[in-house]
C-alpha cells in the first residue's frame, strides 16, 4: 500500500494506471461542476446575501460549488483509499468505492452549507438595512479566516489532510460496507476543520464570485498537496489579517475589491434557478 506519510510532506500517490476509471470520474465531476458554477454565476452576478434563493436551491448550488472547489484536493486521498482497500479488484469496483468515499465527504460539506446559508442571510439583511456595516462584516470575516489559518485546529486538520495513507489504517476495523462511507465522512470532518475559515471568505468576496472560488480552491489544493503547504497556510493567515484591516481603513477602491459580496450587485440578477432557469 505504500508508506504511511506522517511527516507532513507531499503524500505519495498510487499509480494512475491502477485507478484510471476513478481518476476519470473525479476529473469529469470537477470539470462539470466548474462549468455549471460559471454558467450560474454569469446569469446571477455577485450580490449580498442568499440572492433570493430558498434553502434547497442554495444547497444544490453549494454542493456543485463544493464539487468544483474540493474534489481536486480530495482526489488523492479518495484514490489512495480506493487502491488500499480493494486489492485485488476491478477498476469498476475501485470507481464505486471512490464514489462512496467522495459522496460521504460531500455530505459533510453540504451540511456546512446550512451554516453558510445562515451567515449569508444574516449579512444580507444587515447590509440591506445598514450599508456601512459591510466593511465591518468583511473585516470580521477576513480576521476570522486569518486566525483560523494560524490556529492549532488548522494545524492538526491540515496534517491529517496531508497524510492520505492514514485513512486505511484508521478505518481498517470497520465492516466492509461501511468502510468507504465512514472514511469519507471522517476525512470530510477533518477537511471541514481545516478549511471552514476559507469558506467564510465567500461572504465578503461573494458566494457566486468564481474568481474568488478559484483562488480559494487553489489555496486549499496547495496547502494539502504542496510540500510547502503548511508555510503557505501561515502566510495566507497573516495576509488575511492584513486584509481585515484594509476592509476598514483602506480607500474605497480597495474596499470595493475586497467586499463585492457585501455591496450592491454589479449586474442585474436573473430569476433564481440553476443556470438562470425560471
Amino acid at each position: 500500500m505504500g508508506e504511511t506519510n506522517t511527516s507532513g510532506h507531499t503524500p505519495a500517490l498510487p499509480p494512475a494506471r491502477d485507478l484510471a476509471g476513478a481518476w476519470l470520474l473525479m476529473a469529469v465531476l470537477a470539470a462539470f461542476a466548474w462549468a455549471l458554477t460559471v454558467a450560474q454565476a454569469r446569469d446571477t452576478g455577485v450580490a449580498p446575501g442568499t440572492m433570493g434563493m430558498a434553502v434547497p436551491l442554495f444547497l444544490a448550488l453549494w454542493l456543485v460549488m463544493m464539487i468544483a472547489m474540493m474534489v481536486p484536493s480530495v482526489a488523492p486521498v479518495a484514490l489512495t483509499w480506493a487502491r488500499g482497500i480493494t486489492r485485488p479488484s476491478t477498476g469498476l469496483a475501485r470507481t464505486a468505492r471512490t464514489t462512496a468515499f467522495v459522496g460521504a465527504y460531500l455530505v459533510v460539506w453540504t451540511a456546512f452549507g446550512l451554516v453558510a446559508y445562515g451567515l449569508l442571510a444574516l449579512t444580507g439583511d444587515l447590509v440591506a438595512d445598514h450599508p456601512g456595516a459591510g466593511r465591518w462584516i468583511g473585516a470580521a470575516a477576513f480576521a476570522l479566516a486569518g486566525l483560523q489559518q494560524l490556529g492549532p485546529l488548522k494545524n492538526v486538520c491540515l496534517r491529517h489532510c496531508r497524510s492520505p495513507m492514514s485513512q486505511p489504517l484508521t478505518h481498517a476495523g470497520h465492516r466492509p460496507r461501511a468502510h468507504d462511507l465512514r472514511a469519507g465522512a471522517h476525512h470530510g470532518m477533518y477537511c471541514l476543520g481545516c478549511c471552514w475559515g476559507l469558506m467564510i471568505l465567500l461572504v465578503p468576496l461573494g458566494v457566486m464570485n468564481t474568481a474568488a472560488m478559484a483562488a480559494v480552491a487553489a489555496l486549499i489544493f496547495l496547502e494539502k498537496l504542496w510540500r510547502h503547504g503548511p508555510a503557505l497556510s501561515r502566510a495566507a493567515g497573516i495576509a488575511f489579517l492584513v486584509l481585515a484591516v484594509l476592509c476598514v481603513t483602506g480607500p474605497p477602491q480597495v474596499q470595493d475589491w475586497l467586499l463585492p459580496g457585501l455591496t450592491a450587485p454589479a449586474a442585474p440578477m436573473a430569476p433564481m434557478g440553476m443556470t438562470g432557469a425560471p
Side-chain angles (χ1 to χ4, degrees):
M1 285 171 47
E3 297 181 356
T4 301
N5 182 356
T6 58
S7 64
H9 296 298
T10 304
L13 306 182
R17 64 180 179 274
D18 291 347
L19 294 164
W23 272 117
L24 180 61
L25 173 66
M26 302 289 271
V28 169
L29 273 176
F32 183 67
W34 273 112
L36 276 180
T37 302
V38 170
Q40 182 67 17
R42 185 183 300 117
D43 288 337
T44 61
V46 179
T50 62
M51 297 177 288
M53 285 184 280
V55 173
L57 178 58
F58 178 85
L59 288 181
L61 182 60
W62 180 264
L63 174 59
V64 173
M65 290 169 55
M66 292 303 100
I67 293 172
M69 296 177 68
M70 306 305 293
V71 161
S73 62
V74 78
V77 182
L79 296 171
T80 301
W81 165 257
R83 182 173 183 255
I85 65 174
T86 62
R87 185 183 295 155
S89 66
T90 65
L92 181 61
R94 288 187 178 126
T95 300
R97 286 185 174 267
T98 303
T99 301
F101 182 99
V102 175
Y105 170 88
L106 290 172
V107 166
V108 174
W109 276 107
T110 302
F112 183 72
L114 292 172
V115 177
Y117 185 88
L119 288 174
L120 288 167
L122 176 62
T123 56
D125 290 342
L126 285 173
V127 170
D129 295 336
H130 309 284
R135 60 177 181 166
W136 296 102
I137 296 171
F142 277 103
L144 187 61
L147 293 174
Q148 197 266 339
Q149 288 287 109
L150 299 171
L153 178 62
K154 175 76 177 192
N155 189 44
V156 170
C157 293
L158 184 58
R159 280 203 308 269
H160 172 92
C161 291
R162 289 172 60 83
S163 303
M165 290 309 296
S166 67
Q167 291 294 330
L169 299 177
T170 302
H171 299 278
H174 291 158
R175 291 179 297 177
R177 291 185 179 181
H179 276 176
D180 310 303
L181 296 176
R182 285 175 179 263
H186 180 260
H187 185 67
M189 291 300 295
Y190 271 98
C191 187
L192 178 60
C194 181
C195 302
W196 66 265
L198 296 175
M199 293 303 172
I200 296 297
L201 292 178
L202 295 179
V203 172
L205 294 174
V207 73
M208 294 305 300
N209 186 337
T210 54
M213 287 175 54
V216 170
L219 177 57
I220 291 170
F221 183 87
L222 292 173
E223 281 185 346
K224 293 182 178 182
L225 299 177
W226 189 32
R227 66 190 184 95
H228 297 302
L232 176 64
S233 177
R234 292 189 292 272
I238 295 171
F240 294 153
L241 294 178
V242 172
L243 293 177
V245 175
L246 290 177
C247 284
V248 178
T249 63
Q253 296 86 346
V254 173
Q255 293 180 355
D256 290 343
W257 177 69
L258 290 173
L259 308 173
L262 294 171
T263 56
M269 289 186 296
M272 277 289 97
M274 295 300 289
T275 66

